Amino acid sequence: MDLNRVKQILSSSAEIDVVYNGASVWIDHLSEDERTATVHLRGPLEERTTVEISELQEKI
């Protein structure tokens, strides 16, 4: 995924499906300088991890 799309998703009020390593995730924070995003799995677990934005995919 590219930087501009991550920004659009973060600012959107719509629920947009994003996938990381085959799992649906929420994007919590974007670090533009490092080109990384903090994400957590959808569901009861709130464990957060930092990933490269290039590894995120929008589920269409």
Side-chain angles (χ1 to χ4, degrees), residues 46-58:
E46 291 286 326
E47 183 178 335
R48 287 169 169 69
T49 188
T50 301
V51 301
E52 298 285 329
I53 61 171
S54 61
E55 297 178 31
L56 298 173
Q57 296 179 330
E58 185 173 354

Side-chain angles (χ1 to χ4, degrees), residues 20-39:
Y20 171 69
N21 280 347
S24 290
V25 296
W26 288 106
I27 301 173
D28 298 311
H29 176 75
L30 171 65
S31 175
E32 290 186 50
D33 294 340
E34 298 175 17
R35 300 188 65 80
T36 60
T38 303
V39 301

